[in-house]
């Protein structure tokens, strides 16, 4: 539940976070993740947000601590978070704990259908705290997440 002392408005940007290895999109296992680059995905997000009169900020890191720091910084400055935690989805309680701090809607996104892959990918520490989970839609999953946050999930003070 959003905290009134940290108001977010529809004019606050949506934070798009990408975790480990997502900087390698377009070259890493294209048969699984497709050929879109991370910059292609971010451009899709920018266009989707602009179509709704919104803006995004974005960040990618291979470092769990840097992602957590960016999440902490979203408190009071972001209206929602789209996150593809990459492999941290299945391993990081610390990332999960950080995601409740901003008190904004969260959409967990995965490019591939994690439920059709290895068993260990089917568990997420993030899903139980997410407002929505999108998997297997490629880069379009980010567009769906932005649309959700911009039209239904964004909070107002």
């Amino acid at each position: 539940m959003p905290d009134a002392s940290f108001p977010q408005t529809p004019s606050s940007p949506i934070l798009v976070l990408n975790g480990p290895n997502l900087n390698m999109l377009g070259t890493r296992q294209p048969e699984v993740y497709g050929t879109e680059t991370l910059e292609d995905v971010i451009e899709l997000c920018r266009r989707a947000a602009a179509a709704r009169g919104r803006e995004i900020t974005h960040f990618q890191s291979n470092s769990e601590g840097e992602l957590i720091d960016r999440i902490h910084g979203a408190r009071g400055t972001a209206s929602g978070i789209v996150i593809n935690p990459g492999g941290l989805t299945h391993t990081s309680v610390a990332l999960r704990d950080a995601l409740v701090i901003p008190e904004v809607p969260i959409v967990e996104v995965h490019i591939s259908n994690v439920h059709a892959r290895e068993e260990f990918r089917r568990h997420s520490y993030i899903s139980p705290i997410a407002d929505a989970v999108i998997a297997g839609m490629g880069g379009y999953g980010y567009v769906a997440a932005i649309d959700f946050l911009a039209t239904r999930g964004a909070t107002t003070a």
Side-chain angles (χ1 to χ4, degrees), residues 71-122:
I71 293 165
H72 291 173
R75 185 174 175 92
T77 65
S79 61
I81 297 173
V82 174
I83 184 166
N84 183 338
L88 295 174
T89 304
H90 325 291
T91 63
S92 183
V93 173
L95 187 66
R96 178 256 179 245
D97 288 349
L99 282 164
V100 300
I101 292 170
E103 297 178 333
V104 297
I106 297 164
V107 179
E108 176 183 359
V109 174
H110 298 282
I111 292 170
S112 68
N113 181 354
V114 292
H115 303 289
R117 296 183 61 199
E118 303 92 339
E119 181 67 32
F120 73 87
R121 293 187 195 277
R122 297 176 193 160

Side-chain angles (χ1 to χ4, degrees), residues 11 18 22 28 32 57 64 70 74 101-102 126:
S11 63
N18 284 282
L22 288 158
R28 175 185 176 222
V32 174
T57 57
E64 180 179 31
R70 191 55 63 109
I101 292 170
I126 310 306

Side-chain angles (χ1 to χ4, degrees), residues 21 23-31 33-38:
N21 302 314
N23 57 310
M24 301 305 294
L25 284 177
T27 58
R28 175 185 176 222
Q29 294 179 281
E31 69 281 2
Y33 300 107
T35 57
E36 290 176 304
T37 66
L38 182 57

Side-chain angles (χ1 to χ4, degrees), residues 9-63:
T9 67
S11 63
S12 298
I14 296 168
L15 176 60
V16 178
L17 290 174
N18 284 282
N21 302 314
L22 288 158
N23 57 310
M24 301 305 294
L25 284 177
T27 58
R28 175 185 176 222
Q29 294 179 281
E31 69 281 2
V32 174
Y33 300 107
T35 57
E36 290 176 304
T37 66
L38 182 57
E39 190 51 46
D40 294 337
V41 170
I42 295 305
E43 185 55 32
L44 284 173
C45 292
R46 281 188 194 110
R47 287 191 304 228
R52 296 285 185 191
R54 303 295 301 278
E55 293 183 0
I56 66 160
T57 57
H58 63 91
F59 182 71
Q60 184 280 326
S61 181
N62 294 317
S63 169

